[in-house]
Amino acid sequence: MRSPSVFLAFFCMALPCLAQEGSPAQAELLSEVTFLTPGRTVTLGIHFKVRKGWHLYWKNPGDSGQAPRVRWVLPPGYKAGPLLWPLPRRLASGPLMDYGYEGELLLLAPLEIPATAKKGELITFLAHVDWLVCRQVCLPGKAELKLTLRVKDRRMGPAMRTRALFQKARDAFPKALPEDAHVTAVQDARSLTLTLTAQGPFTGARFLP
């Protein structure tokens, strides 16, 4: 399996990779709530805005590209879970097939708050983010994102400014198949055939490797 750095080097042989100046993608760190509650889990989001005609990549970028990467710097006792990815679009380019996002992207990240967090504390979260945004050329981008929230000893309330954005991202998550659905796979040297059967309400499915 090729490492991301090797994969990116290979990709840049096919498409010019430019410096970050004038990047068509911008990132910010958002919170779904207005404050923190000890012992609870909060959802943060890496929000990308992408210029028209450009795209970012899914966790499996496909035949080319590189997915956004996030490295957290958190206070002791705080723990970030894996990123949650909305369903991507198929991005065809000649014989290649990539998977990614256009317009905007919100990657959700659950974050555990320790029970020992003290009322009144101001907690700062740092996220070092790297991404690759592409059109006919590719631009590597990076940012150090910062967000500060206060700890309070009551139930967390939603932040109205970001509520609709977080809900939109959740609505775009992959949906579970009906409980009676079954998938069988047959593979040979050249192809993989998937057969899906279901008795309950079902309107279709997409296969994303």
Side-chain angles (χ1 to χ4, degrees):
M1 181 177 180
R2 289 171 290 186
S3 68
S5 59
V6 174
F7 196 93
L8 177 57
F10 170 80
F11 182 61
C12 292
M13 293 169 58
L15 293 177
C17 284
L18 307 179
Q20 189 191 346
E21 295 181 7
S23 174
Q26 303 295 326
E28 61 180 333
L29 181 58
L30 301 176
S31 173
E32 190 175 19
V33 296
T34 55
F35 56 85
L36 308 175
T37 300
R40 305 297 286 264
T41 297
V42 65
T43 302
L44 303 184
I46 308 294
H47 183 220
F48 295 92
K49 293 182 179 179
V50 185
R51 192 182 304 165
K52 184 176 180 180
W54 296 77
H55 60 267
L56 297 169
Y57 291 95
W58 186 43
K59 58 183 177 180
N60 173 17
D63 290 323
S64 60
Q66 178 175 287
R69 296 175 296 181
V70 180
R71 180 173 64 85
W72 295 99
V73 179
L74 303 174
Y78 288 77
K79 182 179 179 182
L83 294 175
L84 306 176
W85 298 75
L87 279 173
R89 294 184 56 185
R90 291 185 175 93
L91 304 169
S93 178
L96 303 180
M97 179 63 72
D98 297 333
Y99 306 96
Y101 310 91
E102 299 174 319
E104 68 176 344
L105 166 65
L106 183 65
L107 297 178
L108 303 190
L111 191 142
E112 297 178 10
I113 306 164
T116 55
K118 296 180 181 179
K119 176 184 176 181
E121 281 186 319
L122 284 174
I123 303 299
T124 297
F125 306 109
L126 288 177
H128 297 275
V129 186
D130 296 275
W131 65 86
L132 189 69
V133 58
C134 294
R135 188 171 62 177
Q136 295 170 333
V137 296
C138 288
L139 295 170
K142 63 180 179 179
E144 183 180 281
L145 308 179
K146 182 185 295 186
L147 179 67
T148 299
L149 296 173
R150 187 178 297 277
V151 177
K152 297 187 179 182
D153 60 355
R154 60 178 186 268
R155 185 180 180 87
M156 294 182 292
M160 300 308 296
R161 187 176 75 89
T162 60
R163 184 176 183 177
L165 189 63
F166 276 74
Q167 187 58 52
K168 180 180 177 182
R170 286 193 171 90
D171 290 342
F173 285 169
K175 304 297 188 298
L177 290 171
E179 293 184 357
D180 63 348
H182 298 279
V183 178
T184 58
V186 177
Q187 183 175 4
D188 58 29
R190 296 187 177 183
S191 65
L192 172 65
T193 302
L194 299 176
T195 302
L196 172 64
T197 58
Q199 300 295 325
F202 180 70
T203 56
R206 291 168 57 190
F207 171 71
L208 297 172

